Structure formats: structure tokens, C-alpha cells
Amino acid sequence: MKSLVTKYPLLFGFILFFAAMVAAVPVMLVLNLAGLPSDAAGAVGRIVVGLALLLVLRSLIAWDKSLSGLGLAIPVLVIVAWNVVYHLMSGFGFADASAIPGAVLLGLAPGIFEEVIFRGATIGAMREAGKGPWYTLVASSALFAVVHLTNAAGMDLPSVLVQVLYSLVVGLLLGAIYLRSGDIVTPILAHAAIDISNQVFAAHPTTTSVPMLAAFVVVLVVECAYALWLAKGLARDGE
């Protein structure tokens, strides 16, 4: 285990992700048999496994400065605002209040599960391996984007490319916040906020126009620039 972490940190992160997905299945099945809907059971399963990994891999994960990175995460609200505006511009109002608890659960699950694995454990492994901040940020974000290809079933090629690009930018943003703050809790909350703002509208189909796509690209460029600015600060501070 130690050898895998220090010699092949990206492979460690890749294997950890799929192993954690498998580990979440028994929890999901038990909850599903107990009457919990499949999507909610799957979310709880990932939350349980994510929290377990946070404890098991605590030596790799910076979590002693909880919420110290909140100020750095304020620009994440631009993505949250975009998600809301995009869905409203697609012609749909806000979801019923009864749908909000489910949206929170489904949004919190990847926030905990993916941040613990990709920001916490993978970045921690890369630090153990002696990788520099720029390499660590870019490589961990690329891995985060690549594993999101698992969501590509049934998507056309442009949608897949957008998914990968979006995941890469979010990975850069959350990774830079984590590296600057040493705080895993803030990326978890920021990731959850992004996903919750999508889940609230998940039951509604959406349409995309050229102006909306252009606006989305602008949002991604702004967030990417901010992430790289944070990373530049890391290099300047000699982190």
C-alpha cells in the first residue's frame, strides 16, 4: 500500500475510486432492501464509504484546518449561480420544496465521496511522492476528469467532451482551494453546492442554445483562471 502511494500516486487514486465504488454497493443493497429508493441508497452508500476513507486515510488528508478555505471558495458560487440561471432559462421554475431534501442528499454524496478520494487521498499521495504543486494540481484534476467518462453512457460526443472539460475545471478549482487552504471540508461543501444546484432541477429536461453554451464557456474560463491564480500563489509561496 505504502509503495503504491509513493511510487504510483495517480494509479493509487484511480484504483481507490473504483474500489470505493465497489465498497459502496453492499451498503446500497442493504438500504435498498430496507425500502430506500435506489438513488438515495446509492448516495448514502457513497457518503458512508467516503467518511470511512476520511478516517482510514487520515494521514494523507489535510482536515485539521476545517473551513479555513471558505473565503477561497466564494468564486465557486459563480458555478452554482450559473446552474440555477441555466435551468431557469431553459423554461423551468424552481423545484417543489419536497424535492430539496433528496437533491441535498444526492448532491452531498459526490461532494464527500469524490473530494475525499481525488482532493484528499490522491493529492495526499502525490505529496507523499514528492510531486510539486503544479503537477499535483493538474494531474489530480485530469484523473478526476477521466473517471467522469464513466458518466458518458448514452451521451453524444459533444456532451462527453463538455462533461470532461467541466470536470477538469472543477477539479482544478477545488484542488487549488484544497492545496492553498489545507482544508478538505471546504472543497466538500463547494462540490456539494455545485451538485445540489444541479440536482434540484434533475427531473427537468434542458435545452442548450449557442448563447447559453458560450456563457457556460465563459464561466469555465473564469473559474479556470481563478484556479490557476491560486496555483501560482502556491508556487510563489514555495508550497
Side-chain angles (χ1 to χ4, degrees), residues 135-231:
Y135 179 86
T136 296
L137 176 61
V138 174
S140 62
S141 301
L143 177 62
F144 180 66
V146 167
V147 300
H148 275 79
L149 288 173
T150 56
N151 297 336
M155 288 185 179
D156 54 36
L157 181 58
S159 297
V160 171
L161 294 177
V162 169
Q163 171 85 347
V164 171
L165 178 61
Y166 180 60
S167 300
L168 177 63
V169 172
V170 170
L172 288 170
L173 178 62
L174 298 179
I177 292 170
Y178 177 64
L179 285 166
R180 281 296 294 269
S181 66
D183 162 29
I184 193 62
V185 177
T186 291
I188 286 173
L189 295 178
H191 191 152
I194 292 172
D195 282 15
I196 290 169
S197 66
N198 271 318
Q199 288 293 337
V200 166
F201 301 96
H204 302 298
T206 56
T207 57
T208 302
S209 63
V210 172
M212 292 170 71
L213 182 59
F216 178 61
V217 170
V218 170
V219 169
L220 292 185
V221 169
V222 170
E223 297 293 344
C224 187
Y226 176 66
L228 296 179
W229 176 78
L230 286 178

